[in-house]
Amino acid sequence: DLQKETTEAQAREWCIQAIQECCDYAAPRGVILALENHGGIVSTVEQLLSIVTAVKSEWFGVNWDSGNFRSADPYGDLAKAAPYAVVAQIKTEISPRGVRQEADLGRVVAILRESGYRGFVALEYEAKEDPFVAVPRYLGELRHLVSAAS
């Protein structure tokens, strides 16, 4: 949420300035920074990309989280953000219009592949099923999908 009497435009500008300063420090040290699509002023893909594209650094990108967009078309939003991904977190659920449902992991991996993403992929599990049962199954599925892409 925004601070009282702060506009989204002002918050975005402060964010861009702060990230730019951090990138200027991180780049000569070989550190890549990332901004996650995680609510607030980065709830929508348009908000996220307005910040990401304004920061001028090859050492900055998106912490691409497949479960955080709540729009009518989260897969479309993920495709728009994927070219900027420097790290990827895949969730087993997706929330079109805020309604949780099982994610099409094949489609999620395909979005990353089609964008040219070549980094690591992490499973971030938040669903209700027992994680000791679900996580090994989802890891197996992701390994298969990612290796099939190679």
Side-chain angles (χ1 to χ4, degrees):
D1 291 332
L2 295 173
Q3 293 178 3
K4 190 176 182 180
E5 298 183 24
T6 299
T7 67
E8 183 177 326
Q10 182 61 58
R12 182 174 34 257
E13 188 55 38
W14 290 337
C15 185
I16 292 165
Q17 290 172 4
I19 292 170
Q20 188 67 62
E21 185 176 333
C22 291
C23 287
D24 292 345
Y25 182 84
R29 292 160 177 82
V31 176
I32 298 172
L33 303 177
L35 178 63
E36 184 173 342
N37 55 312
H38 195 65
I41 64 170
V42 291
S43 295
T44 69
V45 71
E46 293 80 15
Q47 290 171 314
L48 176 70
L49 295 182
S50 73
I51 293 171
V52 171
T53 59
V55 174
K56 303 303 176 203
S57 177
E58 294 179 12
W59 295 87
F60 178 66
V62 170
N63 178 15
W64 190 86
D65 190 312
S66 72
N68 284 354
F69 288 125
R70 306 283 189 258
S71 68
D73 184 14
Y75 292 106
D77 293 343
L78 289 168
K80 290 175 188 173
Y84 302 93
V86 295
V87 65
Q89 298 170 190
I90 295 182
K91 289 186 176 146
T92 60
E93 296 179 325
I94 200 159
S95 300
R97 294 184 179 89
V99 178
R100 280 185 176 222
Q101 63 186 46
E102 184 141 351
D104 179 343
L105 296 182
R107 188 173 178 187
V108 170
V109 169
I111 289 168
L112 282 174
R113 183 182 320 116
E114 290 164 11
S115 76
Y117 180 75
R118 295 176 25 174
F120 289 100
V121 174
L123 172 64
E124 184 178 350
Y125 184 75
E126 298 179 339
K128 293 186 189 238
E129 185 181 358
D130 179 357
F132 289 101
V133 174
V135 168
R137 184 179 71 246
Y138 283 116
L139 284 174
E141 184 178 352
L142 282 174
R143 281 188 185 111
H144 172 74
L145 291 167
V146 169
S147 67
S150 302

